[in-house]
Amino acid sequence: MEHTGTTRRTQAERDAITVEIGYALSSAAFLGALAFGVVAGPALLFELPHAVRRTLVVSGVCVASVLFVVRAVSVLVRFGHEAGAGSRSRSGSGGQPSQPGRTNPDS
């Protein structure tokens, strides 16, 4: 069965996607850990009542989780938009001309 309208990704494109996913996950994990430390840090450093300590830790987990997801999604969506714009300019619908060494007159 032949698929129409689909294009195969090159190895470089697959590598770029893999690197971008790694970056998205690592930067999201760092941001989540930082947020958790800021919110729940006082509960872990100081002797606080149990209710306050539990509230800070649960709040820290919630804030860290939300920021992790938001960061990962925003990085991947931005990459998707940039990758889509790059493939459109390579196909000849705007961007730089296909002849090396020549510049676009509008640039």
Side-chain angles (χ1 to χ4, degrees), residues 20 74-90:
E20 197 66 23
S74 67
V75 167
L76 294 175
V77 166
R78 184 187 59 201
F79 175 73
H81 288 303
E82 289 174 0
S87 66
R88 282 192 300 272
S89 67
R90 281 193 305 258

Side-chain angles (χ1 to χ4, degrees), residues 17 24 49 60-61 76 101:
I17 291 168
V61 168
L76 294 175

Side-chain angles (χ1 to χ4, degrees), residues 3 41 64 72-73 77 89 93:
H3 294 159
V73 169
V77 166
S89 67
S93 61

Side-chain angles (χ1 to χ4, degrees), residues 5-6 21 24-25 31 37 40 45 52-53 59 64 74 82-83 107:
T6 60
I21 290 170
L25 292 176
L31 181 62
L45 292 176
V52 174
R53 182 183 204 119
S59 299
S74 67
E82 289 174 0
S107 60

Side-chain angles (χ1 to χ4, degrees):
M1 176 186 290
E2 183 178 325
H3 294 159
T4 59
T6 60
T7 58
R8 296 186 63 101
R9 292 190 171 116
T10 65
Q11 184 63 42
E13 289 171 328
R14 290 192 304 267
D15 290 345
I17 291 168
T18 301
V19 167
E20 197 66 23
I21 290 170
Y23 170 71
L25 292 176
S26 61
S27 67
F30 178 76
L31 181 62
L34 186 66
F36 178 79
V38 167
V39 175
L44 303 173
L45 292 176
F46 303 115
E47 199 61 41
L48 298 173
H50 179 69
V52 174
R53 182 183 204 119
R54 180 168 164 73
T55 301
L56 286 175
V57 170
V58 170
S59 299
V61 168
C62 291
V63 169
S65 300
V66 169
L67 287 178
F68 177 89
V69 171
V70 168
R71 174 65 181 168
V73 169
S74 67
V75 167
L76 294 175
V77 166
R78 184 187 59 201
F79 175 73
H81 288 303
E82 289 174 0
S87 66
R88 282 192 300 272
S89 67
R90 281 193 305 258
S91 65
S93 61
Q96 293 293 331
S98 61
Q99 297 175 347
R102 305 271 175 113
T103 59
N104 193 348
D106 295 334
S107 60

